């Protein structure tokens, strides 16, 4: 290079023109740019050298103005079309001649600017540029269009988001869903950090954290402030697939033929359904039949969804996926679509309903004397709540002697099971209901005659179904429980009676088990048992109905032992996950209730030590039926009652802290 040569160099990708001034050492040159600033450059930093002429710094603006009219990138397309077939490479000077019919220095530099900025038609090779093949150009065009479309979608999404945050009405687009899902995944699985989600938050000037993503989804009205993250992290389907809903509508419009044409007509019996007031899936009813020989036959009528569901149809597969109806404080998510579950599948008062009925005659000691099972038709007479039945039993209502008789047999059943080794554990049970994400109601279920009556009749039906399956060698989802190693009588007697003692027993109870062959259920005191009383709400019960009804009809069993074993494994896993979601959700709302009542004084019962050396124990808030963790500084004993207050509660982080109301404050503990 010589003094006065006009050259181009780049700083962070931007073009700069400068005039060569003087050498700087053996290999470098000092150049002066159009602003009069000096730069020291190595020759390899020079990206273009204007040929033929000496320039002064003052001439740079005029030079740039000369080339400006020629910097139209679309002109390269014409040149590419002329050169692509030959595949011939061209220099900047040759491109200037082709485009502008001249090769003066300014036009050659204009050609250089066009070619060096082009990412579509030409590819640099040494000091020349060769045309890209037509297929490559088409591919790059497609990529550019996709990138432009993506950028446009991103900008439009951010505009809509800002409008929504400003309180304006917006109509979300299908493409927005992908971005919302990125934010949702960032909240649900923060360990799998999403760069794309963080970019959205950064663009909106929000912290790039999972909590900020959660807050944004709430601010946009897509999530509630109490969004159930436990449910969202689970595999439990919240919505029904279109194929399922279509089949539901078809069955509602045109019910399929009843596979049990010869149903036993029991519509003459008085039938009581007993549930909580809020229950909408009514799947069991009770009757008492007076026999000619003076004996009494108990009837347990169970709703018959297999009247509509066929093995392995869309409804059956969907129920199998869900495994159970999910009961959450905010509402129920049913195993079957509500149109069926609360309609033709339920035992509706005053309507003729198909059922699977278990007729049982008991011995005086409460053991089963004889039984029979029939697909049947009933007509529920009364829909009662547990409170209704308790009141009727307490008042001795003469008009409904059947209720008192059923309750009498239920008591005998309980006593008989106790004689067979049944283990009764009565811990307070909290039922949490949330209305409109605002009002939280916690009710502690009390032991009552009505609940005992219904529970014993359901257990009785399960024993009878198990006996039938065992005697006819039908593979069923039998349920059992190993014999627990309970504390000795001496150990139990030193514990305060009630929840403390029951808590010690509960710790020793092993998990229940499932098998396609009968096994003893130690907790219930039964040699064989299976669940059949909730086929609308529990898939294993539905499996039992399929198997039992097919055998009663004389049809081949729909499920082989091998298939049933495999199905039970998947269903059990899904049911365990659903139970976990229920527990986590109930705990969340329990902590939220406590968070909203910071000034309330609660009476707590010391249940058991978790780590006695750390003074960490489990307390029971008796008014709420909630079991929580607390750390003490003073000495406490099992069964002690304490007055405590919440000092801090964070349901989202699963944290609760208490203090004891006394002169010696107790150190709060987090759970």
């Amino acid at each position: 290079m010589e003094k006065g040569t006009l050259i181009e160099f780049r700083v962070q990708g931007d073009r700069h023109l400068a005039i060569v001034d003087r050498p700087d050492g053996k290999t470098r040159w000092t150049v002066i740019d159009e602003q009069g600033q000096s730069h020291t450059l190595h020759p390899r930093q020079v990206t273009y050298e204007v040929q033929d002429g000496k320039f002064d710094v003052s001439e740079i603006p005029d030079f740039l103005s000369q080339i400006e009219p020629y910097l139209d990138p679309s002109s390269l397309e014409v040149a590419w079309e002329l050169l692509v077939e030959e595949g011939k490479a061209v220099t900047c000077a040759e491109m200037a001649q082709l485009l502008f019919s001249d090769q003066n220095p300014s036009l050659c530099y204009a050609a250089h600017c066009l070619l060096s900025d082009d990412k579509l038609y030409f590819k640099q090779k040494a000091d020349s540029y060769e045309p890209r093949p037509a297929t490559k150009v088409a591919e790059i065009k497609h990529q550019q269009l996709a990138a432009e479309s993506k950028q446009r979608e991103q900008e439009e999404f951010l505009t809509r988001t800002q409008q929504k945050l400003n309180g304006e009405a917006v109509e979300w687009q299908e493409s927005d869903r992908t971005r919302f899902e990125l934010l949702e995944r960032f909240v649900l699985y923060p360990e799998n950090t999403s760069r794309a989600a963080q970019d959205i938050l950064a663009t909106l000037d929000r912290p790039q954290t999972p909590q900020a993503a959660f807050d944004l989804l709430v601010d946009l009205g897509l999530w509630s402030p109490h969004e159930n993250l436990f449910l969202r992290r689970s595999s439990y389907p919240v919505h029904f697939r279109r194929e399922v809903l279509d089949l539901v509508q078809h069955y509602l419009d045109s019910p399929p033929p009843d596979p049990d044409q010869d149903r036993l007509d029991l519509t003459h019996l008085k039938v009581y359904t007993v549930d909580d007031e809020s229950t909408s899936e009514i799947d069991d009813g009770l009757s008492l039949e007076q026999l000619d020989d003076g004996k009494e036959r108990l009837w347990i009528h169970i709703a018959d969804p297999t009247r509509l569901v066929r093995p392995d149809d869309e409804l059956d597969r969907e129920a199998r996926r869900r495994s159970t109806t999910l009961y959450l404080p905010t509402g129920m998510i049913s195993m079957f679509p509500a149109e069926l579950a609360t309609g033709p599948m339920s035992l509706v008062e005053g309507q003729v309903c198909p059922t699977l009925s278990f007729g049982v005659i008991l011995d005086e000691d409460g053991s089963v004397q004889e039984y029979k099972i029939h697909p049947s038709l009933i007509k529920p007479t009364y829909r009662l709540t547990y409170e209704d039945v308790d009141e009727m039993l307490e008042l001795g209502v003469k008009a409904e002697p059947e209720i008192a008789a059923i309750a009498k047999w239920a008591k005998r059943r309980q006593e008989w099971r106790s004689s067979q080794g049944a283990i009764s554990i009565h811990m307070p049970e909290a039922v949490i209901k949330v209305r409109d994400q605002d009002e939280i109601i916690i009710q502690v279920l009390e032991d009552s005659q009505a609940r005992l009556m219904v529970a014993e009749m359901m257990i009785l039906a399960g024993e009878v179904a198990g006996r039938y399956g065992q005697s006819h060698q039908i593979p069923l989802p039998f349920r059992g429980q190993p014999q627990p190693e309970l504390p000795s009588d001496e150990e139990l007697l030193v514990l305060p009676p009630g929840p403390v003692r029951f808590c010690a027993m509960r710790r020793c109870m092993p998990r229940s088990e499932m098998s396609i062959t009968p096994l003893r259920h130690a907790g219930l005191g039964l040699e064989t048992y299976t669940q059949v009383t909730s086929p609308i709400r529990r898939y294993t019960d539905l499996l039992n109905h399929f198997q039992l009804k097919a055998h009663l009809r004389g049809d081949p069993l729909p499920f082989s032992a091998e298939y049933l074993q495999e199905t039970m494994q998947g269903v059990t896993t899904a049911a365990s996950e659903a139970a976990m979601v229920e527990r986590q959700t109930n705990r969340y709302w329990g902590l939220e209730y406590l968070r909203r009542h910071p000034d309330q004084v609660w009476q707590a019962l010391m249940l058991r030590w978790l780590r006695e050396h750390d003074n960490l124990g489990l307390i029971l808030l008796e008014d709420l039926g909630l079991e929580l963790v607390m750390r003490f500084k003073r000495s406490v004993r099992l069964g002690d009652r304490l007055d405590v207050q919440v000092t801090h509660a964070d349901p989202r982080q699963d944290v609760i802290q208490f203090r004891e109301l006394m002169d010696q404050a107790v150190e709060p503990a987090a759970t």
Side-chain angles (χ1 to χ4, degrees):
M1 292 188 294
E2 297 180 1
K3 181 179 176 64
T5 302
L6 180 62
I7 59 98
E8 176 195 85
F9 67 100
R10 292 186 180 246
V11 177
Q12 294 182 343
D14 295 331
R15 297 177 187 279
H16 291 270
L17 290 180
I19 304 298
V20 175
D21 184 43
R22 63 186 183 278
D24 186 348
K26 294 183 179 180
T27 59
R28 295 180 177 273
W29 290 83
T30 297
V31 301
I32 310 297
D33 67 16
E34 58 188 286
Q35 304 298 326
Q37 299 292 323
S38 64
H39 304 265
T40 300
L41 303 177
H42 190 279
R44 65 172 170 266
Q45 293 176 268
V46 175
T47 52
Y48 187 81
E49 181 178 335
V50 177
Q51 303 295 322
D52 302 330
K54 305 297 181 187
F55 291 84
D56 186 80
V57 170
S58 61
E59 297 178 86
I60 293 178
D62 182 57
F63 182 83
L64 289 172
S65 66
Q66 290 177 35
I67 69 168
E68 187 66 32
Y70 299 97
L71 299 181
D72 179 9
S74 64
S75 62
L76 282 181
E77 183 177 6
V78 177
W80 173 78
E81 289 176 349
L82 294 173
L83 297 170
V84 67
E85 290 187 8
E86 296 180 7
K88 179 183 177 183
V90 292
T91 64
C92 292
E94 290 170 335
M95 180 58 74
Q97 184 66 43
L98 182 62
L99 293 177
F100 315 125
S101 303
D102 198 348
Q103 293 183 338
N104 69 49
S106 60
L107 293 179
C108 288
Y109 181 65
H112 159 75
C113 291
L114 289 171
L115 287 167
S116 59
D117 285 347
D118 175 59
K119 306 298 181 189
L120 178 60
Y121 296 108
F122 291 89
K123 180 180 180 181
Q124 187 172 8
K125 191 172 184 180
D127 293 331
S128 61
Y129 293 83
E130 61 182 20
R132 287 190 169 94
T135 54
K136 187 63 176 178
V137 169
E139 179 186 341
I140 295 173
K141 280 185 176 181
H142 177 75
Q143 293 171 347
Q144 289 178 341
L145 288 173
E148 290 169 5
S149 175
K150 185 176 181 180
Q151 180 63 26
R152 187 166 56 254
E153 280 184 359
Q154 173 80 346
E155 292 171 356
E156 292 172 352
F157 166 75
L158 294 173
T159 298
R160 285 190 292 273
T161 299
Q162 199 58 61
Q163 289 172 336
K164 182 67 175 178
L165 294 173
N166 293 337
E168 302 175 36
V170 299
E171 184 175 341
W172 298 114
Q173 303 300 306
E174 185 64 30
S175 58
D176 297 335
R177 183 66 248 169
T178 301
R179 293 176 173 84
F180 294 145
E181 288 174 352
L182 288 171
L183 292 168
E184 291 172 1
R185 284 199 294 271
F186 189 33
V187 175
L188 299 173
Y189 309 106
E191 63 278 7
N192 300 328
T193 304
S194 169
R195 184 70 253 172
Q198 291 177 312
D199 289 344
I200 294 172
L201 293 166
T203 306
L204 293 167
D205 291 327
R206 296 199 172 211
Q208 298 172 48
T209 64
Q211 183 60 49
F214 180 92
D215 294 339
L216 176 58
L217 291 166
V218 172
D219 292 343
L220 293 174
L222 300 170
W223 279 8
S224 97
H226 299 286
E227 192 69 23
N228 193 332
L229 303 187
F230 314 113
L231 178 59
R232 285 190 170 274
R233 289 190 186 103
S234 76
S235 59
Y236 194 95
V238 176
H239 304 291
F240 286 95
R241 294 175 291 120
R242 171 50 52 191
E243 299 90 336
V244 175
L245 296 177
D246 288 344
L247 184 59
V248 168
Q249 190 58 52
H250 175 68
Y251 282 172
L252 290 173
D253 295 339
S254 178
D258 188 349
D260 298 284
Q261 296 293 327
D262 190 23
R263 289 183 179 270
L264 179 64
D265 188 347
L266 298 176
T267 55
H268 61 284
L269 292 178
K270 191 184 292 185
V271 178
Y272 305 94
T273 63
V274 185
D275 277 288
D276 289 309
E277 187 174 358
S278 60
T279 302
S280 54
E281 298 175 338
I282 311 297
D283 53 12
D284 58 79
L286 303 174
S287 296
L288 186 82
E289 181 184 14
Q290 296 288 346
L291 302 178
D292 293 338
D293 59 3
K295 292 183 179 180
E296 294 176 330
R297 178 181 285 127
L298 295 164
W299 284 100
I300 303 105
H301 311 287
I302 307 302
D304 186 4
T306 63
R307 160 72 180 85
L308 296 171
V309 185
R310 299 292 183 266
D312 210 37
D313 69 2
E314 288 291 348
L315 282 171
D316 177 46
R317 288 196 292 271
E318 185 68 15
R320 193 184 314 150
R321 287 177 65 208
R322 293 166 179 262
S323 77
T324 182
T325 290
L326 206 56
Y327 293 97
L328 304 175
T330 49
M332 174 187 74
I333 306 176
S334 57
M335 188 173 77
F336 289 111
E339 295 89 341
L340 291 182
T342 63
M345 285 184 177
S346 275
L347 305 186
V348 181
E349 183 179 345
Q351 295 185 14
V352 175
C353 304
T355 56
L356 184 61
S357 294
F358 298 80
V360 188
I361 298 175
L362 297 177
D363 279 327
E364 286 302 311
D365 64 356
S367 61
V368 174
Q369 182 182 107
E370 62 177 81
Y371 68 86
K372 56 183 178 179
I373 307 174
H374 289 283
S376 61
L377 294 173
I378 66 166
K379 189 174 184 181
T381 315
Y382 299 114
R383 177 178 176 178
L384 303 174
T385 65
Y386 291 108
E387 292 74 18
D388 293 334
V389 174
D390 282 329
E391 185 176 359
M392 293 167 67
L393 291 171
E394 185 177 342
L395 296 176
V397 176
K398 302 296 185 185
E400 305 298 333
E402 294 89 347
I403 287 286
I406 297 172
K408 174 198 69 176
W409 285 115
K411 182 65 175 173
R412 290 188 186 176
R413 276 291 296 174
Q414 183 192 42
E415 293 169 351
W416 176 80
R417 288 195 305 105
S418 181
S419 72
Q420 302 301 303
I423 301 166
S424 296
I425 296 176
H426 303 284
M427 294 293 292
E429 181 181 353
V431 176
I432 305 176
K433 301 290 185 184
V434 178
R435 297 175 181 170
D436 302 322
Q437 300 284 322
D438 184 34
E439 183 183 7
I440 307 173
I441 301 168
I442 300 183
Q443 175 189 6
V444 181
L445 292 185
E446 303 289 346
D447 288 339
S448 72
Q449 292 187 76
R451 293 186 183 278
L452 169 68
M453 179 184 79
V454 172
E456 286 297 335
M457 292 300 103
M458 300 306 106
I459 294 171
L460 175 59
E463 181 189 3
V464 166
R467 284 193 180 195
Y468 185 87
Q470 183 175 27
S471 62
H472 294 90
Q473 297 183 321
I474 305 171
L476 297 174
F478 291 96
R479 186 173 288 274
Q481 187 179 43
Q483 189 68 36
E485 294 184 12
L486 295 176
S488 67
D489 291 342
E490 291 77 12
E491 292 174 300
L492 289 176
L493 286 173
V494 301
L495 298 175
V500 176
R501 194 174 293 176
F502 287 133
C503 184
M505 295 171 62
R506 184 182 63 185
R507 291 184 63 193
C508 302
M509 297 300 292
R511 290 179 178 272
S512 62
E513 301 173 348
M514 295 193 73
S515 170
I516 58 171
T517 56
L519 64 167
R520 175 174 168 75
H521 197 298
L524 295 179
L526 299 176
E527 294 305 316
T528 181
Y529 174 73
T530 187
Q531 292 176 310
V532 291
T533 57
S534 295
I536 305 176
R537 302 185 274 188
R538 205 162 45 211
Y539 187 73
T540 51
D541 298 44
L542 186 71
L543 286 174
N544 273 320
H545 278 234
F546 279 134
Q547 296 286 84
L548 291 172
K549 287 182 60 186
H551 190 272
L552 289 167
R553 288 193 301 266
D555 291 347
L557 297 179
F559 305 118
S560 67
E562 294 76 14
Y563 179 89
L564 198 65
Q565 183 72 54
E566 182 181 342
T567 301
M568 282 165 48
Q569 291 175 353
V571 170
T572 301
T573 300
S576 296
E577 183 182 30
M580 177 64 74
V581 171
E582 289 181 343
R583 286 194 299 272
Q584 292 171 325
T585 307
N586 274 285
R587 180 175 171 83
Y588 174 92
W589 283 107
L591 297 189
E592 176 63 14
Y593 182 87
L594 292 170
R595 187 191 69 81
R596 296 184 187 187
H597 295 81
D599 299 326
Q600 179 75 40
V601 177
W602 306 102
Q603 187 173 81
L605 176 68
M606 176 56 178
L607 281 180
R608 70 179 179 93
W609 288 110
L610 299 175
R611 294 197 303 271
E612 189 169 1
H613 63 280
D614 286 336
N615 288 328
L616 195 68
L618 187 69
I619 61 172
L620 169 67
L621 301 186
E622 295 183 281
D623 290 341
L624 302 178
L626 299 177
E627 298 179 24
L628 301 160
V629 176
M630 185 171 178
R631 177 174 283 121
F632 306 93
K633 279 189 174 178
R634 72 178 181 91
S635 175
V636 295
R637 296 172 303 174
L638 298 182
D640 281 356
R641 283 185 163 80
L642 323 163
D643 289 332
V644 301
Q645 250 183 345
V646 174
T647 58
H648 175 65
D650 186 340
R652 191 64 69 194
Q653 297 301 319
D654 193 28
V655 171
I656 183 77
Q657 296 175 349
F658 294 101
R659 70 182 182 95
E660 185 180 0
L661 298 184
M662 55 181 295
D663 293 337
Q664 173 89 19
V666 178
E667 180 183 306
T671 61

